[in-house]
Structures are given as C-alpha cells and as structure tokens.
Amino acid sequence: MAPISKECDYLVIGGGSGGLASARRASGQHGAKVVAVESNRLGGTCVNVGCVPKKVTWNAASVAETIHEAAAYGFSIQETAPFDWKTFKQKRDAYVKRLNGIYEKNLGNDKVEYLHGRAHLLSKNQVEVHLSDGGKETIHAKKILLATGGHPNIPKSIPGSEMGITSDGFFDLEKQPKKVALVGAGYIAVEMAGMFHALGSETHLFIRHDTFLRNFDPMIQEKVTEEYKRQGIHIHTRSSQSKVEKSSDEGWMTLHYEDSSGSGTLNIDCLLWAIGRSPEVEDLGLDKAGVKQNERGHIIADEYQNTNVENIYSLGDVCGKVELTPVAIAAGRLLANRLFGGPAHRDAKLDYNNIPSVVFAHPEVGSIGLSEPEAREKYGDDAIKVYTSSFTAMYYAMMAAEDKGPTSYKLVCAGSEERIVGLHILGLGSAEMLQGFGVAVKMGARKRDFDSCVAIHPTSAEELVTMK
C-alpha cells in the first residue's frame, strides 16, 4: 500500500454542484477537515456544459424570437448581420470561467482543501489521486463521498457515429451550424433543437416514437411536439440511424436513417447525439472498495445516500436517481449535516418526492408531481379528477394566428379532498412560475386552496387558480 500523504474527515470525489455543496457545508459550517478532488473544471456539468451555458444560450434564442415578433407590436427592426455566434460564445465562455474561479474561491473561504486530479479508490478508506501537475497523493479518509457525475453517450454500434458531438460538444462549437441533426427525445435534445432553430440553423430532430419528452405528462409531450412542428423544426418520428459518412463538402457529413416516411439521407454540418448519459465511474476503483452498482453502472445509494460500504456515500448523477443540479446540492448539504452536524441532524435526508423540474424548450415546460397516467395507476381512475386549461397568452394578442404559441396547464387531483398530486404547465414564463406553485404542491395544497387565492390579472398564471 502506498504511504499516506494526507488524512481527512471527509474526502469528496467530484467537484460538481452536489460534491462542492457537501464539502463546503461539512467544513464551513460543521468544522470537518475536508478534501475535494476534481479532474476537470470546478462546477461540474451544470456550470460548464449544462444548466448555466444552456440557459445563457436559451436567453439568446429568446431574444432572437422577440426580434422576429417585434413587428407585431409596431417595431421595424432590420437585422444588418446574422447572429454573431463567435462573439456570443466568447462571452459565454468568459462567464463560465468566472464562475469556475468563484467556486474555487468559495472552497478556500470554507477551508476545503482542493486537489486538481483524478481520484482512484484503493480501499474503503484510502484514495490515490493522480494530480494534474504529475504528482500523486494518497489520502486516508474517515468518510468518502462519491459525486463524480456522468457523461453523455455516443452510440458505438452506428458506423461513423464518432463524427457527431454530444451536449458537451455543443458548447465547443466555434461557428453556428447551417444544418443540424439531433438524435434523442429527452429534455437535452429538445432544448438544444429549440435553441438551434431559434438562432437560425435548419434543425432536424430524430426521435424513436411519435412524441418527445416521454417522461412528462402526455399533454406536455403532445403540445410541445406539435409546437416544434409548427415552428418549422423537422421532426423525424419513429426513426433510427444506420451510419454516418463524410461528405464531399469539407466539414459536412451524411446521416443515413429511417423514419415514419421511409429511408433517407441528410447532408448536415453538425450531428448531435442526445441519447442518454452514463455514470462517471470507469476508473474510480469501485471494485477495490466493494461499492455496488446497478445494471446501468450507477452507484447504488439508499435514501440517506449510503452505499453498501459503511463509510462511503454517493449522490447526484452518478446514482442516476433524479439527475438535477438542485437535487444534488440539497442532498449534499443534508448528507453533510447528518454526518457532521451532531444529533440534531441524525435523520437528515432529502425527500425525493414532488421535485419540480423545467425544460427550457420553446415554449418552456414545468412539471411537479405525478403525470396523469401515473396518478391513475397509483390512486385508481375513480379517485382522480383532472382540470385543464388551454389558451392563448396575452403576449400573442397582437400577432397573426399562425404566429401564436400555445399555453396549456393541467392539475391532477386525488381523493375527496382533491389534493394536487401533479401540476404540468407549458407556455411563456412557465419556469419562473413553477417555483412558487411547486412550494404549494410540496406543502400538500388542495384544489380549493388554489381556488381560494385571488387571481393576478392579467397573467397566464391566474388560470391555475381559476380552473373549473
């Protein structure tokens, strides 16, 4: 066994949102001796190739939509040049780099020792870190947190698939593609397709079924799929891809596929795979510590983030439970409280029920609780009452009928008290709107509680408290 070069109370492997939140809470609030290890940039997926740069790009896409809609409100706007992708990327990269620095500064403020390198478990208490400067550290830790996140997949079975990029590569694009194909039906594919299209790229979205966002309520699936078609995004339903070949045009490639219309080829200058993610565990050394994984490779952790090894814990995307940044942050802080906060926190754990989530599609989507099919399966058809509202938001009042976007809301209520067990919204402002309504659902609001709240007029949100 290598000689021990460091000892600590808590070793956090993974410098993403969940790991850093747990490390800072353990050290800064509870006084534990903490070491955090990260092999890439601090902040993990969210800060570097996820939520943050995605939302900045979505904002740019929304500005583009507003420019196009301005004429309906009497503005005459002439675009003298196309969207400046290069300048936008430089500013977005600078913003992310600044956040990386803030994350490192915050670790210092909370007295967390930070090592930049790749960690490998040697046993249930020892970890070897290969530092980025070529050095090596062997750390003995009383407790270890595995929060290494995940990475996007590329289908190895499709010849030429390596010519495509993933969501990570989206943020490395130096110039805007003219014609892009995205493969996938989850929120990443849907968000990026919406952004590409709004910013002016010809956009093709390949999905395996007839709708996308299939983990969401059927209302969301159907309405957003139809809206993407209305906007002019090419949706290839019931599709599969057989191979990718280099094109005679430099920088272009040809995608061979089948969809509901038959076989075809598509000449494109960008192919983006958004077919799922895998846990970042390849060289972590889980077998040496005896940490168990499920059939998809995710680390198995219980409701308290315990693995099967007594002093090793895990949370975030590497566990594959609810892959959302705020979930990892909340779980990380609660775990630190439980491990180092004394008797008052001995039962601290995250409640994974009723977690709100949004999709920054065009239009935005928000959801909390059970979908209508899930609610009917859980409670029975007779116990479920559903309230819906579909309307045109006032923002579109000045626009031609063919330019108006949809707004649809659904409340799924259970039992004689009509407790709201599912709330699903799509339309302008849905992301900001959901946070407040999410609190109400989390508190166990009933339909009559919503009814008792006086509406704010004129807003779209008032429809949620006036449904009949």
Side-chain angles (χ1 to χ4, degrees):
M1 189 67 70
I4 303 299
S5 58
K6 288 184 186 296
E7 293 189 359
C8 65
D9 299 316
Y10 195 37
L11 174 62
V12 175
I13 302 176
S17 300
L20 295 183
S22 195
R24 292 182 60 199
R25 176 64 58 89
S27 178
Q29 189 164 313
H30 300 304
K33 185 178 180 181
V34 181
V35 176
V37 182
E38 171 56 48
S39 61
N40 207 316
R41 293 178 289 173
L42 284 175
T45 297
C46 176
V47 169
N48 296 293
V49 288
C51 332
V52 171
K54 179 270 299 287
K55 183 65 183 292
V56 173
T57 310
W58 182 87
N59 287 339
S62 296
V63 171
E65 290 177 324
T66 302
I67 291 171
H68 296 149
E69 294 162 348
Y73 275 88
F75 293 93
S76 179
I77 298 177
Q78 289 186 332
E79 294 185 68
T80 58
F83 174 65
D84 188 347
W85 184 283
K86 183 178 180 180
T87 299
F88 170 75
K89 180 185 182 299
Q90 290 171 348
K91 293 184 70 175
R92 186 184 63 199
D93 289 351
Y95 174 55
V96 170
K97 187 175 181 180
R98 183 165 67 87
L99 292 179
N100 296 146
I102 291 172
Y103 270 71
E104 186 166 359
K105 182 180 178 182
N106 286 339
L107 286 178
N109 291 341
D110 284 322
K111 296 180 173 57
V112 175
E113 182 178 356
Y114 166 50
L115 299 179
H116 190 264
R118 194 80 173 175
H120 312 275
L121 293 165
L122 299 178
S123 68
K124 69 174 188 175
N125 288 107
Q126 291 188 15
V127 172
E128 186 174 77
V129 180
H130 294 245
L131 301 171
S132 57
D133 63 5
K136 188 182 294 186
E137 297 268 17
T138 302
I139 304 172
H140 184 276
K142 294 177 183 177
K143 300 180 188 300
I144 298 173
L145 173 61
L146 307 176
T148 51
H151 55 257
N153 299 326
I154 287 180
K156 297 178 181 178
S157 61
I158 299 175
S161 61
E162 70 280 356
M163 285 187 256
I165 62 172
T166 64
S167 55
D168 288 2
F170 172 85
F171 300 106
D172 290 331
L173 290 171
E174 294 292 341
K175 63 179 183 178
Q176 182 174 359
K178 292 182 173 64
K179 190 173 181 180
V180 59
L182 302 98
V183 182
Y187 75 93
I188 293 174
V190 171
E191 288 178 338
M192 292 187 169
M195 292 185 287
F196 271 127
H197 173 73
L199 293 172
S201 299
E202 181 181 326
T203 304
H204 294 253
L205 179 59
F206 290 81
I207 61 178
R208 287 189 298 174
H209 300 278
D210 292 320
T211 58
F212 46 65
L213 298 177
R214 290 172 55 81
N215 289 331
F216 286 77
D217 187 87
M219 178 193 76
I220 300 293
Q221 298 178 39
E222 295 159 10
K223 296 281 187 180
V224 183
T225 302
E226 285 304 312
E227 174 60 7
Y228 269 36
K229 291 177 181 177
R230 183 195 72 80
Q231 292 178 11
I233 297 174
H234 303 273
I235 308 294
H236 298 260
T237 59
R238 300 191 174 275
S239 71
S240 62
Q241 300 73 43
S242 56
K243 64 179 175 179
V244 186
E245 296 178 318
K246 284 186 178 180
S247 173
S248 56
D249 297 324
E250 185 177 353
W252 287 67
M253 66 197 89
T254 301
L255 175 65
H256 295 254
Y257 67 89
E258 289 188 4
D259 63 14
S260 56
S261 299
S263 300
T265 59
L266 190 67
N267 203 35
I268 51 178
D269 61 340
C270 181
L271 169 62
L272 193 152
W273 301 106
I275 57 172
R277 296 174 64 83
S278 294
E280 185 76 15
V281 294
E282 285 79 3
D283 59 348
L284 191 53
L286 296 177
D287 55 330
K288 293 181 180 178
V291 177
K292 291 183 178 179
Q293 300 165 260
N294 65 18
E295 65 281 357
R296 295 185 59 196
H298 292 104
I299 294 172
I300 299 172
D302 67 13
E303 59 185 336
Y304 289 94
Q305 314 305 149
N306 301 314
T307 70
N308 63 297
V309 179
E310 185 179 6
N311 62 297
I312 299 181
Y313 311 88
S314 190
L315 55 80
D317 290 7
V318 74
C319 296
K321 193 169 185 180
V322 180
E323 298 184 15
L324 296 171
T325 296
V327 172
I329 291 172
R333 288 173 177 163
L334 288 167
L335 175 62
N337 288 346
R338 182 169 70 84
L339 297 181
F340 302 103
H345 298 285
R346 64 186 177 189
D347 295 321
K349 65 175 180 176
L350 179 63
D351 179 5
Y352 281 86
N353 294 308
N354 285 327
I355 292 174
S357 65
V358 301
V359 181
F360 288 100
H362 299 261
E364 299 167 57
V365 167
S367 179
I368 183 171
L370 303 175
S371 67
E372 182 180 340
E374 288 171 339
R376 293 187 182 280
E377 181 178 354
K378 181 174 181 177
Y379 296 101
D381 288 340
D382 293 342
I384 295 299
K385 187 167 184 180
V386 175
Y387 297 84
T388 61
S389 179
S390 293
F391 58 97
T392 301
M394 186 179 286
Y395 175 77
Y396 297 111
M398 309 296 286
M399 300 177 193
E402 61 270 19
D403 296 326
K404 295 181 178 183
T407 307
S408 291
Y409 298 158
K410 175 186 283 191
L411 297 179
V412 182
C413 304
S416 59
E417 288 200 334
E418 294 193 343
R419 190 169 304 280
I420 298 169
V421 297
L423 184 150
H424 312 282
I425 56 179
L426 67 93
L428 295 173
S430 290
E432 297 288 350
M433 196 184 303
L434 182 65
Q435 188 69 78
F437 282 103
V439 173
V441 173
K442 188 74 175 175
M443 293 177 68
R446 300 155 297 182
K447 176 65 167 61
R448 66 174 178 266
D449 297 319
F450 274 38
D451 295 341
S452 70
C453 183
V454 175
I456 302 170
H457 184 74
T459 64
S460 292
E462 67 182 297
E463 289 288 324
L464 284 168
V465 297
T466 57
M467 285 187 182
K468 301 297 183 185

